Amino acid sequence: DSGVTQTPKHLITATGQRVTLRCSPRSGDLSVYWYQQSLDQGLQFLIQYYNGEERAKGNILERFSAQQFPDLHSELNLSSLELGDSALYFCASSVGQGDEQYFGPGTRLTVT
Amino acid sequence: GQQLNQSPQSMFIQEGEDVSMNCTSSSIFNTWLWYKQDPGEGPVLLIALYKAGELTSNGRLTAQFGITRKDSFLNISASIPSDVGIYFCAGQVAYSNYQLIWGAGTKLIIKP
């Protein structure tokens, strides 16, 4: 158990809908990262927050947004969902920036 | 942008064999991290390397930070069935904004 929690574990929704994925980092970690992993693909970095502030953006679509709250948990919002958004979404956390990242168990999103 | 070349893309192994995989880049790295991902699970940190030339072991796993700071390798000795999975390298580029760059993964498959 990495200490990073993600909810929900599974999510099935229809095209055009909006969903919110939630992540709680390890105790003491200030950075949260979001990744997308499509079937049999590598990890695509989406976005990073450090102590509530956005610090880096990767290949994140405009339909996707995220935030980190004062208690350091983070939410990833996915809107106007398309079939191609079906993937595993992972959250990771680290103490600072550039440190070892510890991953949560992921949320499997299925868009039908 | 910066890229990590991870090879091989996949490997078929027999139980008891030694395994070797590596990551290379044209950029200089401060940190190398090796992760393992089981199907449907989040990546788990195996080994972290912080100095050029550093050689670190974790059980049957050994990883090295290349002396040029542009590469790293991971060896698994006497492989067992539970070694099956996808192995990812990740590195923090020197003089960057602390972002990790990820390899595409090496998939380890047991020969029947």
Side-chain angles (χ1 to χ4, degrees):
Chain A
D1 185 352
S2 67
V4 179
T5 60
Q6 289 187 248
T7 56
K9 192 159 177 62
H10 300 278
L11 199 48
I12 301 174
T13 189
T15 54
Q17 295 299 303
R18 173 190 169 94
V19 297
T20 297
L21 313 184
R22 183 188 167 103
C23 167
S24 291
R26 292 186 319 159
S27 176
D29 285 0
L30 298 179
S31 277
V32 168
Y33 309 79
W34 286 97
Y35 292 87
Q36 180 193 56
Q37 187 177 40
S38 300
L39 188 62
D40 289 335
Q41 299 293 312
L43 294 162
Q44 294 295 319
F45 168 67
L46 297 178
I47 197 164
Q48 179 210 352
Y49 282 83
Y50 175 77
N51 204 20
E53 292 187 6
E54 182 186 304
R55 283 303 171 98
K57 260 186 175 179
N59 300 320
I60 188 166
L61 300 172
E62 284 191 16
R63 301 183 285 109
F64 296 1
S65 65
Q67 55 184 325
Q68 186 179 28
F69 295 87
D71 67 352
L72 301 177
H73 90 271
S74 178
E75 292 181 356
L76 179 67
N77 301 297
L78 315 177
S79 62
S80 302
L81 285 167
E82 302 175 358
L83 295 177
D85 297 328
S86 295
L88 272 167
Y89 291 83
F90 289 106
C91 166
S93 73
S94 67
V95 173
Q97 301 186 89
D99 298 319
E100 301 156 17
Q101 294 182 20
Y102 293 86
F103 283 77
T107 293
R108 181 175 294 280
L109 174 68
T110 303
V111 182
T112 62
Chain B
Q2 295 108 358
Q3 284 190 330
L4 272 185
N5 299 309
Q6 185 171 353
S7 65
Q9 193 172 24
S10 61
M11 297 181 74
F12 286 84
I13 60 172
Q14 281 192 327
E15 189 173 347
E17 283 183 349
D18 294 344
V19 171
S20 185
M21 61 191 78
N22 68 81
C23 282
T24 61
S25 175
S26 57
S27 301
I28 293 174
F29 284 78
N30 285 334
T31 303
W32 285 99
L33 306 173
W34 285 94
Y35 289 82
K36 183 192 178 209
Q37 185 179 29
D38 290 327
E41 307 285 328
V44 174
L45 182 65
L46 299 173
I47 293 178
L49 303 161
Y50 299 103
K51 282 169 50 176
E54 181 181 354
L55 186 71
T56 297
S57 293
N58 178 3
R60 293 177 295 104
L61 278 60
T62 302
Q64 185 159 28
F65 194 139
I67 199 73
T68 65
R69 297 174 63 191
K70 295 182 178 182
D71 59 359
S72 177
F73 71 76
L74 176 70
N75 285 345
I76 306 173
S77 63
S79 57
I80 59 178
S82 62
D83 290 334
V84 163
I86 303 177
Y87 292 79
F88 290 100
C89 65
Q92 182 206 334
V93 178
Y95 318 118
S96 74
N97 60 352
Y98 305 107
Q99 287 311 299
L100 285 183
I101 309 299
W102 289 83
T106 294
K107 191 171 187 176
L108 229 55
I109 305 160
I110 287 277
K111 285 182 193 173

